[in-house]
Amino acid sequence: MTEQSARRFVSAKRRPKEDGRFITGAGHFVADINRPGMLHVALVTSPHPAARITTIDTSEAAALPGVVEILTGNVLAGEANPLANAVDTPGVKCYPLAVGVARYAGEWVAAVIAETRALAEDAAELVEVDYEPLDHVINAEEALEPTSPPVHAGHGSNILYRRTFTWGPVAEDFAGQPHELSFKLRWGRSAPVPVETFGVVAEWDTGTEILDVWASIQMPSYAEQIAGALRIPVNQVRAHYDVDVGGSYGVKRGIKHTVLAGFLARRLGRPIRLIEDRLENMVGGDMHGPDRHFNVAVAFDDDGLIRSMKLRVIEDVGGQTGRAPFQLGKPVSAIVGAYQINSVEYEAIAVSTNKTGQAAVRGFGMSPTNVAIETAVDKVATRLGLSRLEVRRRNFIRADQFPYLIPSGSEYDSGDYHTVFKMARDLAQFDVLLARRDAARREGKIAGIGIATCLEPGGGNSAFEPLLNPKNETTTWPESCVVKVDRTGGITATIATSTSGQGHETLAATIIGEELGIDPNDIRVVHSDTLSGMPGNTPVASRMAIMLGGAAAGAAKKIRDQAILIGAHNLGRTTDQVRYANGVVSAVDDPSQSLSLARIALISHREFHNMPPELTEPGMQAIHVLQVPKGGTLPTADGRVQMYPCYSFAAHIVYAEIDRLTGKVTLPDYCIAHDCGTVINPDIVRGMVIGGAAHGIGAALYEEFSYEPGGQLLSGTFVDYVMPSSHEIPDIKLAEHCTPSPLTSHGQKGVGEGGYLGAPAAVASAINDALSPFNIECLTLPMRASLLSDLLADQLAETES
Amino acid sequence: MTHAISVTINGVTRQAVVEPRQTLVDFLRDQLALTGTHVGCEHGVCGACSVLLDGEPIRSCLMFAVQADGHAITTVEGLREDDGTLGILQDSFWETHALQCGYCTPGMLIAGQDLLARNPDPSDEEIREAIAGNLCRCTGYVQIVDAIRLAGARMRQSPEGSGAENGDD
Amino acid sequence: MKAAAFDYTRADTLDQVLELLSHGGDEARIIAGGQSLVAMMAMRLARPEHLIDINHVDALAGINTASDHVAIKACTRQAAAMASSAIKREVPLLAAALPLVGHIQTRNRGTIGGSLAHGDPTAEVLLAAVALGARLSLASIGGTRTLNIAEFSVGAMETAILDEECLTEIQFPKPPSALSIGVAVDEISPRAGDYAIIGAAAELGLAEDGSCGHIRLASSGASPVPVLCGPTMEALTGSRLGDSEIDDAVQLINPLLSPESDVQASAAYRRRVAPGMLARVIKMARDKAEIKRTEGRTS
């Protein structure tokens, strides 16, 4: 690790490499790809939440000029394998198109392929599908009942996963405490909803017999899953990672889309473009996020020290399975939040309903769980008449306790929660804020202060996969980087992932530049495809600063070592007698004796006679494949495992006012203090934290995929699904602290999810503080204006009667 | 039935034949290969498809290309200075990192460009109002507000006063 | 989301529009700003076979002031109306409503007449038109008829425009010049710029003695179309507009409301908030009028 003071590029304000192409309209998104002879897909979707498909009459549609093919689920299923399930549910079989039964309103039933998208839509209207409606279930708690209509009849029940983990002496801890409290909490279904929908272009090359795929993806094991479903070898799928992704935040998975497009590309021998329109995206894109029912109980002493917690979570995964149940797994990595809770019982239940399928969402299930934990802490404070700040301070893991092992088996690497918490308090001028709140209340306003903290586990590893599916023995999610120095000394790095706004090119270039003393602007970063690429697991789980950063550092160090070997040999010195700095190898005793990296590279590529004998391969390139720090072990029988290596921390303090008449919430002040270890690029980190918090404000107050009892989605457009605009998001203020991780190349930790992990809890805390003088609480997210107003009105009516 | 149209795009007059149902954004992207303008929702909410029509920002998904006959359109590809360097607003977006994935960025630039042409010294509230019709999922808007504020200051200082001469009367 | 195929004609004159409409039946449709229509066509919720584009009919754009009203041609852009000093001066309630209509990109295309013809029940232009009792001119090949807004706006997304008719002009009455005028429009919407969940508009005039000599009120969001709040107007006319008088008087609109629940708000919410929102705009308008009245006396 380079010392902080000696760093030239890491942590310095530098313009991100990627931005240049986006501000000029020169990005390359999937919708910008135009292959010769490309055909377009539109989808016929089920109007019913549950129905048997009796007949599909495509004759009229097929007769329309420009229509090339109409594909139904039965044909597809005859030649393809079901999509992979995350948990062990062999009775659940999902295909890109419904086969025999439709399981949610909006599910794809047939695909129409035509010369233009408009023609495909014209024809899709003419496909006649006869349905026999079946009983459906929309409420997850009802879906648990054995009598509820089965979403996947082959599975036997709607419960896809259910396990109670007990970590530590929960019963004894509850029995031994003078206080306990419990509550229910509801996290409504929302999603990141990137402004770019999911899209894929697939092309089968009959000469090479390779399926080329360009897609808007952020998906581990993407090529493997496509190949598996299409029954072709993985090395016949070439997914191109040089496609700019217009936002993902977890959801750009697109397996069913790509399987369908790939299947059609092979079948028709022409490139296939399947770009969701916004309606397809919202209703049938299988990208909805967590939809949870929590039961929470905590046991605590007179001082507010929380000894034990019981958490029951029902996750409503909808009508497709995919990776959704795994989102119950990641919260295990920080199940006690920032607190010294001795024991935890965690009951995790994933249940099918007749709603749209789920995808991974930023934080992979942790943001809802953090609302549960932080609400419990607030309630402990309220019960004991203590300040919410004080209760947190008493329960925080202390800086001198790291590394700190939590009951579920993960060790937190480092942190200083008290210091960061104090920074948040100072940034928010908490005493001033209190006075402001109280003054507002005296004026008759409904005002509250929200306080929340969150842990952001980073460096994403696979540990939740074996934890939730014992047949899955994955214990690593490596990440790789290749650094090449061409014969002129030019440096090119290859990364094995697409990027969706996180700045991976900047990350790799900054770290390689730091290690080699070369201006990152002079380092080119390119994206591989899956056949030319290296082991990797894509930018999920706040992992790239840690994993790609580490891989880039490792590869750069190998290049530096090569340069030193060649330089020393050609300067007539031993490697101890030379030093490498800023792209030059020079003799320690006579710095005028030096060789530039360009000269060394030329030797390496072209002058084998000048190579040191220990280097037997010409050319200058290095690959580094990074194993996840502290990864590599399977869970214990009782479900303990080191989940992720690095733990970032943030504290949010927010001031909220609720309009008494309308229930409208405003957030005049929003402060975050955070610690993600060493910052690689300050502007990127700032954007991640603020953008994540904005996303969390949306989930807390505005956004929901609402269903009516008949199973229809009520918020399937951008009019009804309310993503916050610039008026709804305040000017969020930040303070930063740095506790370097001991596990990473430069002390960096993850930062892509923390804003989203903290904000919903903080906003919920503020709302409930505001409501507290009325003796009411709101434990349902999103806390829409109408919901808050209705709660206040009901309370008023009760008081009067 | 198709229609022949003539549209001036970023200063260059283009002739084309369009089906009436082709939206302006699809025309720009599919026929003219100007893919900088993005499609986000196709129902007029997200603002990703914003372009200038005769100098005023509009949503190009809510207009058919045939309606643009005889009009002038400016897209993100037309925001560079005449000498090919980045426009002040573009450069300010880079300076403050007012973007992440880049998908909403062209629409944001169009909105910001229009604001600064009308109001060279906007308040933060005016900036937020100007971009309220453009959704961004990545940034939380704060760095976009920073960028437009910065660009305003730079334009006011620059001798050219790019965009600043059209004060709000 | 691509519109179904249609034929397109760019009209140059009103006569041409009316001629085309007379042949078109219910399959022909006028496109003005298109800010709602094109979205509905993209979703195939609207599928006209023939679009008649009136954006280049000069006679359909412009703002003219008469003695007792301002006449706005139907295809006048919302942005142009918002920038109009005549409207600011003569129809301050409409001027107050326009900034709440959509966003700058939609106001640059969207028109005053298009908003009314589309008939969204919580549109702000419609709210102002109902409050003021606007009159609308509808032309057809057979002649022109004039409707008041209550006759025009007959239900949610439903107007009295016949297939062969084109909305040509909307007349917004001016407030009485002898009084100190105050106006206010406010709403709760999911996001700023969205259609309102509940909206309210108030225009009122104070006599020299401070009593209310003129009041026009409308409420939207708790009824199929915005309602003119007649009982409240009656109760407050001649009053001093004290807070408690206002709070009592707004409850008189309850019989006019027939709210329904939707994804954004419950019927109970709408019923509760509508009178409160009305009270809010009355008080805001009163305070502005009061400032003018005070200024008038001191100058």
Side-chain angles (χ1 to χ4, degrees), chain A residues 97-111:
Chain A
L97 301 173
V99 179
V101 175
R103 297 189 172 87
Y104 63 87
E107 184 173 6
W108 301 352
V109 171

Side-chain angles (χ1 to χ4, degrees), chain A residues 365-415:
Chain A
M366 286 196 58
S367 192
T369 304
N370 200 52
V371 179
I373 296 169
E374 289 296 301
T375 302
V377 176
D378 275 4
K379 281 174 168 287
V380 167
T382 304
R383 173 74 66 85
L384 297 175
L386 295 169
S387 109
R388 292 172 293 162
L389 297 174
E390 180 58 25
V391 167
R392 284 183 171 78
R393 282 191 293 256
R394 289 178 187 179
N395 282 284
F396 278 149
I397 297 160
R398 296 186 315 273
D400 61 15
Q401 291 176 292
F402 291 96
Y404 182 89
L405 182 66
I406 66 169
S408 54
S410 284
E411 195 173 74
Y412 292 178
D413 62 325
S414 61

Side-chain angles (χ1 to χ4, degrees), chain B residues 14-29:
Chain B
R14 312 281 293 256
Q15 321 288 336
V17 174
V18 295
E19 244 197 298
R21 66 165 152 176
Q22 187 169 39
T23 58
L24 177 57
V25 66
D26 284 349
F27 169 69
L28 292 169
R29 293 178 50 81

Side-chain angles (χ1 to χ4, degrees), chain A residues 117-118 121-122 125 277-279 659 661-662 664 702 706 714 717-718 720 722-723 727-728 784 786 789-790 793, chain C residues 1-5 42-44 47 188 190-192 194-195 263-266 268-269 272-273 276-277 280:
Chain A
R117 168 73 195 199
E121 289 189 31
D122 293 345
E125 290 185 315
D277 68 22
R278 186 53 68 184
L279 300 180
D659 183 72
L661 172 64
T662 62
K664 182 179 174 170
Y702 302 103
S706 310
L714 297 174
T717 72
F718 270 10
D720 306 306
V722 183
M723 243 205 282
H727 280 309
E728 282 71 46
R784 285 204 187 97
S786 57
S789 172
D790 287 350
Chain C
M1 289 175 68
K2 308 297 178 194
M43 296 186 199
R44 301 200 176 194
R47 42 195 321 152
I188 168 82
R191 267 177 306 228
D194 287 349
Y195 281 120
V263 67
Q264 296 301 345
S266 63
Y269 175 89
R272 193 174 61 244
V273 174
M277 188 64 74
R280 183 176 282 185

Side-chain angles (χ1 to χ4, degrees), chain B:
Chain B
M1 193 173 59
T2 55
H3 294 251
I5 61 170
S6 169
V7 189
T8 302
I9 315 274
N10 301 327
V12 179
T13 301
R14 312 281 293 256
Q15 321 288 336
V17 174
V18 295
E19 244 197 298
R21 66 165 152 176
Q22 187 169 39
T23 58
L24 177 57
V25 66
D26 284 349
F27 169 69
L28 292 169
R29 293 178 50 81
D30 298 344
Q31 284 209 42
L32 304 184
L34 290 169
T35 53
T37 302
H38 294 154
V39 174
C41 71
E42 290 185 286
H43 57 280
V45 182
C46 76
C49 66
S50 298
V51 299
L52 298 176
L53 172 78
D54 300 329
E56 293 181 336
I58 61 142
R59 304 203 191 288
S60 61
C61 75
L62 293 185
M63 183 170 176
F64 295 110
V66 64
Q67 296 185 280
D69 184 27
H71 291 276
I73 306 287
T74 304
T75 70
V76 65
E77 289 92 345
L79 294 183
R80 285 183 190 268
E81 300 294 330
D82 293 341
D83 63 3
T85 57
L86 291 177
I88 290 176
L89 183 64
Q90 289 174 308
D91 190 73
S92 300
F93 264 59
W94 201 346
E95 179 63 22
T96 67
H97 186 48
L99 59 136
Q100 288 172 30
C101 79
Y103 202 76
C104 76
T105 309
M108 286 289 179
L109 286 163
I110 291 289
Q113 195 82 9
D114 169 66
L115 171 68
L116 294 173
R118 287 181 287 120
N119 178 359
D121 190 10
S123 67
D124 281 11
E125 190 50 36
E126 288 168 331
I127 295 172
R128 285 181 178 273
E129 171 63 19
I131 62 170
N134 295 70
L135 296 177
C136 172
R137 179 91 269 183
C138 291
T139 63
Y141 306 101
V142 173
Q143 282 154 293
I144 297 174
V145 174
D146 289 350
I148 297 174
R149 189 194 309 111
L150 174 66
R154 287 174 166 183
M155 287 177 186
R156 293 194 302 277
Q157 279 169 7
S158 84
E160 307 280 314
S162 177
E165 66 274 75
N166 304 319
D168 186 4
D169 56 4

